[in-house]
Amino acid sequence: MKNLIKSLKIISALMIVWFLIHTTFIVVDGMSDQGRKADVALILGSKVNEDGTLSHRLEKRLEKGMELYESHRVKKILVSGGLGKEGFYEADKMKTFLVSKGIPDSLIIVDNFGSNTRLSVANTLKMKDSLRFKSIVVVSQYFHVTRTKKLFKDQGFMNVSSVTPKYFEWRDLYSMIREFPAYYTQ
């Protein structure tokens, strides 16, 4: 029994160390911007409020995507999101926001079926030939981009980088914990 308890303590300690190392990696990777150019920016969706306005988190993602376009780091912007419980297609709302800020309508591609990260990646890759892109930069929160890049790479698309808005919320703590198992199970 003592050996079992000792083994469980060792396993628990290793799991905590693994979690801390992994979380540190996610934060460092997520906050890093190598300044790469890409053919397309993929901006992942987030909550649209009940009144149809964008959550601050989503607005900040879109502003970061606009910065990429305005600094000539990307040629087109792909917005991806699903139908939220509030009754709005996130990607449609995202496009409306970008157009209202001066991004040309013709340079924005809408994916209204990216209800989760896996679907956004799959849908983006389905458009690869028609959009003729060879590189992509993912725009999302810092804790989310590492897993998103991994999903692209798991599908054989290696020319993917990421940027993140400098926007933080208390719920990021929960999100970082959630990303640990999600990274290994998706």
Side-chain angles (χ1 to χ4, degrees):
M1 187 64 153
K2 287 182 182 180
N3 285 340
L4 177 62
I5 292 172
K6 185 177 179 180
S7 295
L8 288 175
K9 285 181 181 181
I10 291 171
I11 291 170
S12 296
L14 289 173
M15 289 294 291
I16 291 169
V17 169
W18 179 22
F19 172 79
L20 292 174
I21 290 170
H22 182 91
T23 302
T24 301
F25 171 73
I26 285 174
V27 171
V28 170
D29 180 54
M31 298 295 284
S32 298
D33 178 0
Q34 289 87 26
R36 288 190 195 165
K37 290 185 176 187
D39 296 322
V40 175
L42 168 62
I43 306 174
L44 297 173
S46 192
K47 183 181 178 188
V48 174
N49 298 317
E50 290 179 10
D51 64 359
T53 60
L54 305 180
S55 63
H56 290 296
R57 177 180 292 230
L58 184 52
E59 228 176 84
K60 295 299 180 187
R61 289 180 187 182
L62 292 166
E63 289 169 359
K64 191 57 143 177
M66 288 171 31
E67 283 177 31
L68 292 172
Y69 173 75
E70 291 166 353
S71 65
H72 306 288
R73 286 182 58 189
V74 298
K75 300 170 189 167
K76 293 185 179 189
I77 297 175
L78 171 60
V79 291
S80 182
L83 177 63
K85 64 182 179 182
E86 298 79 13
F88 300 100
Y89 281 101
E90 294 168 357
D92 284 342
K93 288 292 190 176
M94 293 163 75
K95 180 175 182 174
T96 300
F97 177 87
L98 291 170
V99 169
S100 76
K101 300 293 184 179
I103 304 297
D105 179 90
S106 62
L107 300 180
I108 304 167
I109 301 101
V110 174
D111 168 24
N112 274 320
F113 301 103
S115 299
N116 60 45
T117 308
R118 183 177 288 283
L119 286 172
S120 289
V121 169
N123 296 344
T124 299
L125 290 174
K126 285 178 189 172
M127 292 184 252
K128 187 175 129 221
D129 292 335
S130 64
L131 295 177
R132 296 185 181 112
F133 67 84
K134 294 180 181 169
S135 57
I136 196 160
V137 59
V138 174
V139 181
S140 190
Q141 299 327 105
Y142 65 97
F143 53 78
H144 190 215
V145 294
T146 301
R147 176 168 54 98
T148 307
K149 291 188 298 188
K150 178 185 181 297
L151 288 169
F152 273 107
K153 291 174 182 177
D154 287 350
Q155 296 298 314
F157 190 82
M158 302 306 206
N159 200 357
V160 58
S161 59
S162 62
V163 297
T164 189
K166 303 298 185 240
Y167 178 75
F168 306 95
E169 297 176 310
W170 282 107
R171 82 177 220 185
D172 291 357
L173 296 173
Y174 156 77
S175 298
M176 284 191 303
I177 293 168
R178 182 197 71 209
E179 284 300 311
F180 180 69
Y183 182 87
Y184 297 100
T185 60
Q186 286 202 341

